[in-house]
Amino acid sequence: MRVITTIQEMVAERSSCASPQKVGFVPTMGYLHEGHLSLVRQAREENEILTASIFVNPTQFGPHEDLASYPRDLPHDLNVLENLGVDIVFVPTPDEIYPPDFVTYVDPTGPLVSEAQGAIRPGHFRGVATVVLKLFQIMRPHQAYFGQKDAQQAAIIPVKLHILSTIREADGLAMSSRNAYLNPQERAAATVLYRALQAGRLQFKAHSHAEASLVVRAMVDTVGTEPHVHLDYAEVRDPDSFAQLEVLRAPALLLIAARVGPTRLIDNFLLRADGSWDIGILINA
Ligand code: AMP
């Protein structure tokens, strides 16, 4: 596995790939868990050359967010990626991606970026879109792999993407690098996001074409049973436009975001247009 830290070297390495070879790309912020690995495994199967990146992107963190404390373990991550057969991993420094004279950002607009995560994290999707488009230009993949967990992030990226199911712990908690922040009490309480989504899904199934507020109420009430969890939002939205649904119908996204102690967690269930649900995959069960 080649570990590359500069854009110049990465572009040269990419140019040396034979043109008919299919190049897959898995962008990450590192501290890799099974959710990331599911993306890497699938990408390995579907591409001749597999690339990944590890970059904690400063521009998608707000001024009071957890950029400085975001968990990092590069030796572990490189070992894992090598074992899964990644060919090239790009690990730039912040200065490499954002040199001191950097001024040009991608600034998406509309409900996709102003609502849900966008409302709570102003500027977040500007940072995400900027880094993803920079990485796409540097890596020039044919296919890129993202997780359903970050549904809104996946929706703003204007290229064909492979979106894979959310990988969950045995008790339903969606895997996240930020789960490392949770103390044992918070870790137990954090399962309420999954329980709330399950409660919302039950209402959805029982009341098709009823008001979406029924599902929202089920999610809000479930979160209300955990005194140490503060709900940021529980919503039902269209997965493509991110418009809020008034009436329950497919396709739909059940979205939830909450703070467990100081840690912000997000999760979602997807109801596809064909009526099937993607509620993620429980592992270690
Ligand atoms: P991150 O390192 O958190 O920026 O995530 C990198 C990629 O992994 C993104 O496309 C995420 O959506 C995806 N991802 C994160 N957590 C999970 C999970 N539990 N299951 C599946 N994919 C995930």
Side-chain angles (χ1 to χ4, degrees):
M1 182 174 77
R2 297 251 307 143
V3 180
I4 295 179
T5 57
T6 67
I7 293 173
Q8 196 183 2
E9 262 184 289
M10 186 59 234
V11 168
E13 181 78 18
R14 176 66 185 85
S15 301
S16 70
C17 299
S19 55
Q21 288 188 308
K22 207 171 236 186
V23 176
F25 177 45
V26 182
T28 82
M29 298 209 299
Y31 209 70
L32 302 180
H33 52 66
E34 276 298 321
H36 300 111
L37 304 196
S38 76
L39 307 181
V40 174
R41 285 194 196 99
Q42 173 123 0
R44 180 64 286 175
E45 280 178 21
E46 296 176 354
N47 297 277
E48 273 113 36
I49 297 177
L50 179 52
T51 68
S53 63
I54 299 172
F55 180 60
V56 181
N57 174 36
T59 62
Q60 72 189 65
F61 288 77
H64 305 296
E65 292 185 2
D66 57 345
L67 174 62
S69 62
Y70 194 85
R72 293 161 167 91
D73 190 347
L74 188 59
H76 165 265
D77 291 349
L78 294 179
N79 193 31
V80 164
L81 294 179
E82 173 129 53
N83 287 338
L84 289 179
V86 172
D87 298 300
I88 305 166
V89 56
F90 183 46
V91 191
T93 61
D95 272 358
E96 184 70 13
I97 298 295
Y98 302 110
D101 57 353
F102 183 83
V103 289
T104 307
Y105 288 84
V106 178
D107 203 356
T109 57
L112 262 174
V113 291
S114 61
E115 300 193 17
Q117 283 297 292
I120 288 191
R121 305 183 70 185
H124 173 66
F125 288 116
R126 178 181 192 248
V128 170
T130 301
V131 79
V132 168
L133 295 189
K134 279 179 75 81
L135 288 171
F136 279 177
Q137 281 215 295
I138 296 164
M139 311 302 285
R140 288 191 291 117
H142 297 106
Q143 329 201 68
Y145 295 77
F146 288 79
Q148 170 63 32
K149 178 161 168 284
D150 297 87
Q152 202 167 355
Q153 163 176 297
I156 62 159
I157 297 168
V159 295
K160 168 78 188 127
L161 304 177
H162 295 251
I163 312 296
L164 273 64
S165 296
T166 299
I167 304 297
R168 303 180 177 284
E169 302 284 359
D171 60 8
L173 177 65
M175 290 201 172
S176 166
S177 307
R178 288 192 171 95
N179 292 350
Y181 299 148
L182 302 171
N183 68 31
Q185 193 192 4
E186 291 166 346
R187 171 65 188 79
T191 60
V192 80
L193 277 81
Y194 180 68
R195 289 184 273 127
L197 288 168
Q198 288 287 24
R201 184 168 77 113
L202 278 181
Q203 287 295 318
F204 207 124
K205 286 171 121 174
H207 302 283
S208 184
H209 301 293
E211 282 181 25
S213 58
L214 273 177
V215 168
V216 170
R217 199 172 317 128
M219 294 198 281
V220 171
D221 288 350
T222 307
V223 174
T225 63
E226 283 289 351
H228 300 294
V229 177
H230 177 92
L231 184 68
D232 279 336
Y233 57 79
E235 295 174 336
V236 185
R237 289 183 180 267
D238 181 278
D240 300 312
S241 69
F242 254 71
Q244 227 151 10
L245 294 192
E246 303 293 327
V247 168
L248 298 173
R249 53 90 169 144
L253 259 179
L254 273 54
L255 291 165
I256 191 162
R259 275 167 282 151
V260 185
T263 308
R264 286 200 66 246
L265 299 176
I266 59 170
D267 203 344
N268 68 77
F269 281 4
L270 172 66
L271 173 61
R272 301 188 190 93
D274 67 5
S276 64
W277 285 85
D278 180 356
I279 67 165
I281 298 167
L282 268 65
I283 63 161
N284 305 328

